């Protein structure tokens, strides 16, 4: 029997601890997608709804004490140059 990769495991191979990532959340007020940024602090496989999936624990950049768990497949890697440009735009 062939072993299948866990849900999101293929995309998790593209990430390492310490990588900067982006994900989006729906903003009901503006009725649009909002980009969020953070740093991966842990990647692991967990059982969710009776299925083994890849989960990443991310430290959001704009929140000082929180950590959130996201499906690894929902993350996009961002470069340091991208973050520098984003910081300059907000200044």
């Amino acid at each position: 029997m062939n072993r299948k990769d866990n849900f999101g495991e293929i995309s998790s191979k593209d990430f390492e601890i310490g990588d900067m990532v982006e994900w989006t959340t729906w903003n009901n007020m503006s009725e649009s997608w909002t980009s969020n940024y953070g740093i991966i602090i842990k990647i692991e496989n967990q059982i969710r709804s009776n299925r083994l999936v890849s989960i990443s624990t991310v430290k959001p950049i704009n929140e000082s004490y929180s950590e959130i768990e996201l499906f690894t497949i929902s993350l996009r890697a961002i470069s340091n140059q991208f973050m520098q440009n984003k910081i300059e735009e907000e200044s």
Side-chain angles (χ1 to χ4, degrees):
M1 185 172 189
N2 292 339
R3 181 193 172 281
K4 292 184 177 181
D5 287 328
N6 301 321
F7 182 72
E9 187 173 15
I10 291 172
S11 65
S12 72
K13 294 174 184 175
D14 295 334
F15 297 110
E16 294 181 8
I17 305 299
D19 283 351
M20 297 179 78
V21 292
E22 175 186 21
W23 68 98
T24 56
T25 53
W26 182 252
N27 184 329
N28 286 326
M29 299 294 284
S30 66
E31 295 186 357
S32 63
W33 292 99
T34 303
S35 292
N36 301 284
Y37 303 97
I39 299 171
I40 296 178
I41 57 175
K42 181 169 52 171
I43 302 172
E44 63 185 352
N45 293 326
Q46 296 180 4
I47 295 176
R48 298 282 172 103
S49 300
N50 294 323
R51 186 170 182 184
L52 199 58
V53 296
S54 178
I55 302 290
S56 291
T57 304
V58 177
K59 173 73 175 101
I61 291 174
N62 59 345
E63 298 175 27
S64 54
Y65 296 107
S66 68
E67 295 175 357
I68 57 174
E69 290 184 340
L70 299 163
F71 288 113
T72 304
I73 200 166
S74 69
L75 301 174
R76 288 179 299 282
I78 56 173
S79 67
N80 288 335
Q81 183 63 41
F82 176 84
M83 279 307 293
Q84 185 64 34
N85 291 343
K86 197 75 171 161
I87 291 169
E88 289 173 4
E89 286 175 9
E90 294 177 1
S91 297

